[in-house]
Amino acid sequence: MSSSSSSNVRPPAQDAWLHAYKSLHPQWQSISHSHQSIIPISISRVNQFDAGRLDIEMSAMLKEQLVKVFSLMKPGMLFQYEAELDAFLEFLIWRFSIWVDKPTPGIALMNLRYRDERAVESRGKVRTGLEGPGLTVAQKLWYCVATVGGQYIWARVQSFSAFRRWGDSEQRSVARGAWILIQRIEGLYKAASFGNLLLFLYTGRYRNLIERVLRARLVYGSPNMNRAVSFEYMNRQLVWNEFSEMLLLLLPLLNSSSMKKLLSPFSKDKSSSSKEDDLTCPICQSSPTVPFLALPCEHRYCYYCLRTRCAAVPAFRCSRCNEAVVAMQRHVGQPKQ
């Protein structure tokens, strides 16, 4: 019975799988699309903060080099145009990075780039965080206006109000009202920046208000980033900083005359310089304008140097012979040979 029934079953046609695929494909697409959703991508908040700090350091380095160019100019002249100088450097960084669809130096070092979040949201799906176009021309221009022009205008308004002393004007004057308005605008901006910081720490999107208004988000620039961290340079810097701080702490406590006396046996050409040493003050190493003698050894000092040392140290000893100084006398003859 079973053998007869199995012999009556015909094998499926060769293209049966193709017909089954065509019939089930629309249903599979509808099910997959119904379960698809936007996959959130977490961009490192530390990298975004570090990118901002690196950009600030880059601007400071450029400013330092530019100030050296005008080092021979009239002192204080460049300080009057500090706001213009900062705006010029910020414009250069914007012109050769964001305007030409490239990240700023700090953003590039952190493997990040700007992305137009509006275009990504309209597309509706993000898988790796690498998709999405860059900023539009309008976004780039508004970014320049806000970062370069806005900061320059605000810096000039604050310096002008401080120079004119609007805050010290009369209570009902126009200057006083303008100063109060400036303070309120600054307070609102700081409060909004603090709120944006809290949102950034929670969501990881938009470091500052400008990025949030323009919907310019920092995302990863490439899928792979080789992060080779070497602590050798950092260790050298830490050691040198600690050593320099120790020297700054110990140098005021050292007696220069005793140190000089300790190193005097190792000095060269001592015989040729002995006569010049007798003619100079052993404390300030210059020729005394008002020479005084330390008694009883009668070595010559400046009046100010000898007077201050005797007043500061009651048991002051001569820096040349280490003999106790009991009195001082104005020098009128030849110095002691």
Side-chain angles (χ1 to χ4, degrees):
M1 182 71 179
S2 60
S3 60
S4 62
S5 61
S6 60
S7 61
N8 292 331
V9 176
R10 293 182 301 175
Q14 294 182 355
D15 57 348
W17 66 271
L18 183 61
H19 291 290
Y21 171 77
K22 289 181 178 180
S23 60
L24 295 176
H25 182 67
Q27 300 178 6
W28 176 78
Q29 280 189 337
S30 62
I31 294 174
S32 61
H33 282 298
S34 63
H35 286 83
Q36 282 181 354
S37 60
I38 297 177
I39 302 175
I41 302 300
S42 177
I43 310 298
S44 175
R45 297 166 177 79
V46 176
N47 285 6
Q48 298 184 57
F49 274 127
D50 288 345
R53 294 301 307 173
L54 289 173
D55 286 334
I56 294 175
E57 293 294 334
M58 179 63 67
S59 300
M61 292 173 59
L62 293 176
K63 184 178 179 180
E64 182 181 359
Q65 298 299 323
L66 191 58
V67 168
K68 289 181 179 179
V69 176
F70 300 96
S71 59
L72 299 179
M73 294 180 60
K74 183 180 178 181
M77 181 177 180
L78 196 61
F79 179 75
Q80 301 176 359
Y81 304 98
E82 186 176 4
E84 286 78 8
L85 180 61
D86 293 339
F88 175 70
L89 293 177
E90 292 293 335
F91 176 78
L92 286 181
I93 295 176
W94 171 85
R95 171 61 181 81
F96 294 102
S97 59
I98 296 178
W99 178 248
V100 293
D101 292 327
K102 293 182 179 180
T104 61
I107 294 176
L109 288 174
M110 292 292 105
N111 188 30
L112 300 173
R113 70 177 181 91
Y114 274 119
R115 182 179 72 184
D116 186 7
E117 200 69 6
R118 298 174 300 179
V120 173
E121 290 183 356
S122 62
R123 192 178 301 178
K125 182 181 178 182
V126 179
R127 286 194 177 274
T128 63
L130 302 175
E131 295 88 351
L135 302 181
T136 62
V137 177
Q139 285 176 316
K140 296 175 185 177
L141 292 176
W142 281 113
Y143 186 90
C144 178
V145 170
T147 56
V148 181
Q151 293 181 4
Y152 167 71
I153 294 174
W154 186 251
R156 273 304 177 191
V157 168
Q158 285 188 326
S159 62
F160 184 79
S161 62
F163 179 75
R164 296 290 182 177
R165 296 186 177 182
W166 288 357
D168 299 335
S169 303
E170 298 178 359
Q171 293 294 330
R172 297 184 179 181
S173 62
V174 178
R176 179 73 178 182
W179 182 79
I180 294 175
L181 179 62
I182 292 174
Q183 298 300 316
R184 289 180 178 177
I185 292 175
E186 185 177 5
L188 290 175
Y189 178 78
K190 290 182 178 179
S193 299
F194 180 72
N196 181 80
L197 176 62
L198 296 179
L199 288 176
F200 171 76
L201 294 176
Y202 180 74
T203 62
R205 303 170 64 179
Y206 310 120
R207 297 175 302 173
N208 49 52
L209 293 175
I210 298 174
E211 294 179 358
R212 185 170 296 275
V213 172
L214 297 178
R215 305 298 296 278
R217 185 186 179 187
L218 285 175
V219 296
Y220 291 119
S222 60
N224 298 320
M225 179 181 179
N226 296 326
R227 189 176 179 86
V229 180
S230 176
F231 295 98
E232 182 179 358
Y233 176 76
M234 186 183 300
N235 292 334
R236 288 202 304 265
Q237 289 295 110
L238 290 175
V239 171
W240 173 249
N241 288 336
E242 294 297 330
F243 182 69
S244 60
E245 290 181 1
M246 183 184 68
L247 287 180
L248 291 176
L249 179 64
L250 294 179
L251 282 178
L253 304 178
L254 297 177
N255 191 349
S256 59
S257 59
S258 60
M259 291 296 297
K260 191 183 301 180
K261 185 178 180 180
L262 180 64
L263 299 176
S264 59
F266 304 98
S267 62
K268 297 181 180 180
D269 200 14
K270 183 177 178 180
S271 59
S272 61
S273 61
S274 59
K275 186 176 180 180
E276 295 181 359
D277 291 342
D278 290 339
L279 297 177
T280 59
C281 175
I283 297 177
C284 64
Q285 298 297 324
S286 61
S287 181
T289 55
V290 183
F292 265 71
L293 297 179
L295 300 178
C297 63
E298 297 185 1
H299 283 116
R300 189 162 68 164
Y301 287 82
C302 294
Y303 170 76
Y304 177 77
C305 296
L306 184 59
R307 184 65 177 173
T308 53
R309 288 301 176 91
C310 291
V313 182
F316 174 68
R317 293 181 174 272
C318 179
S319 301
R320 296 195 187 279
C321 61
N322 202 28
E323 187 174 356
V325 177
V326 297
M328 52 187 296
Q329 181 183 356
R330 186 183 181 96
H331 174 68
V332 293
Q334 296 294 329
K336 180 181 178 181
Q337 300 295 333

